[in-house]
Amino acid sequence: VLGLPIGHSVVASAGAQARRHWVIRSLRLLLGALSVRGPTMLALEDLHWVDESSAEVLTEALADVPGLRVLVLASQRPGWSAPWSAWGWTDRLTLHTLGEADGTRLAQAVLGGLTLAPELARHVAERAAGNPFFVEELLRALQEAGELLTQQGQVALVTGAARRLPTTLTEVLLARLDRLEPEARSLAQVASVLGRTFAVRLLARVAGQEVALLEPPLAGCRRERD
């Protein structure tokens, strides 16, 4: 399941279908065991990127959920439907984009509760188009680049900053990565494969480095995030 070497076990000599069966059986046993220990939540993110084989395995592995103390939260972008969407015990929640007022409140929260100048609020609303992640990253990018100033109790753009505002979320993220030191940037790219949260020991194993050597670049990433 984790892609680790399977050595000289029975599974190693089995065919593809047999190994697939063992993966599904292992997942079902794992969910069942976790459910016995206590209520369990399984989060499946960005399923619009899942490959067909993985989707089929997940579908079979989740068949036991109605009889377990397990809550499955699966997120995907519009245009993709999970194979289990037609099951009678599932519910679909459609998340809409933020309205302009909510987007402004989120932006103010990112800036520590400070009020946005009308021009800045308008630019944030136009660029982010209600995407909360875009709102957060755009404001942090502007802070890091020194493109914001506080005047008369409001946060505003410095002169000429409006022309330099990124138009896409990808531009924002790439700009933030480019400001990192090379070592921190390389480590951030490796860490992104692991997810939003991860154990430092796991990151060290994947990066092929000692844990102690990761502290300086990780500290750099944290400073940029803060």
Side-chain angles (χ1 to χ4, degrees):
V1 175
L2 298 177
L4 300 174
I6 53 181
H8 301 289
S9 65
V10 175
V11 181
S13 59
Q17 287 301 316
R19 289 197 295 272
R20 181 178 182 276
H21 168 76
W22 277 98
V23 169
I24 294 170
R25 181 174 181 273
S26 298
L27 289 173
R28 296 176 78 165
L29 287 173
L30 176 61
L31 286 176
L34 290 173
S35 175
V36 170
R37 292 180 59 184
T40 301
M41 183 179 72
L42 176 63
L44 305 172
E45 296 186 88
D46 297 327
L47 281 178
H48 48 276
W49 286 329
V50 74
D51 60 89
E52 185 177 348
S53 296
S54 298
E56 291 174 356
V57 168
L58 280 174
T59 301
E60 294 192 47
L62 298 180
D64 296 332
V65 167
L68 305 175
R69 293 188 296 174
V70 174
L71 171 66
V72 180
L73 296 179
S75 66
Q76 73 269 341
R77 294 176 184 170
W80 185 88
S81 294
W84 53 83
S85 297
W87 293 354
W89 51 269
T90 64
D91 287 316
R92 177 184 292 273
L93 302 176
T94 301
L95 302 181
H96 300 285
T97 56
L98 295 178
E100 186 171 343
D102 289 330
T104 299
R105 280 195 289 270
L106 175 58
Q108 291 173 341
V110 173
L111 296 176
L114 297 174
T115 301
L116 271 67
E119 180 193 22
L120 176 58
R122 177 172 57 82
H123 284 303
V124 170
E126 290 175 353
R127 291 294 196 276
N131 183 329
F133 185 50
F134 199 160
V135 172
E136 293 179 18
E137 294 301 318
L138 177 60
L139 267 297
R140 291 193 175 103
L142 291 173
Q143 284 180 312
E144 293 167 6
E147 301 280 24
L148 299 178
L149 57 83
T150 303
Q151 56 183 17
Q152 298 179 347
Q154 295 183 330
V155 180
L157 290 168
V158 301
T159 303
R163 297 192 301 272
R164 298 186 292 271
L165 286 176
T167 58
T168 67
L169 180 56
T170 300
E171 287 183 38
V172 174
L173 297 176
L174 289 177
R176 297 194 68 196
L177 282 172
D178 286 342
R179 280 193 288 271
L180 292 173
E181 295 295 327
E183 188 179 5
R185 181 166 62 247
S186 177
L187 190 62
Q189 291 171 335
V190 175
S192 68
V193 179
L194 301 178
R196 294 176 67 90
T197 59
F198 49 83
V200 176
R201 287 179 298 173
L202 177 59
L203 177 61
R205 181 71 177 272
V206 175
Q209 298 186 40
E210 297 293 330
V211 172
L213 297 177
L214 299 185
E215 286 304 322
L218 282 176
C221 291
R222 283 193 291 268
R223 284 195 297 272
E224 290 296 328
R225 186 63 185 173
D226 295 338

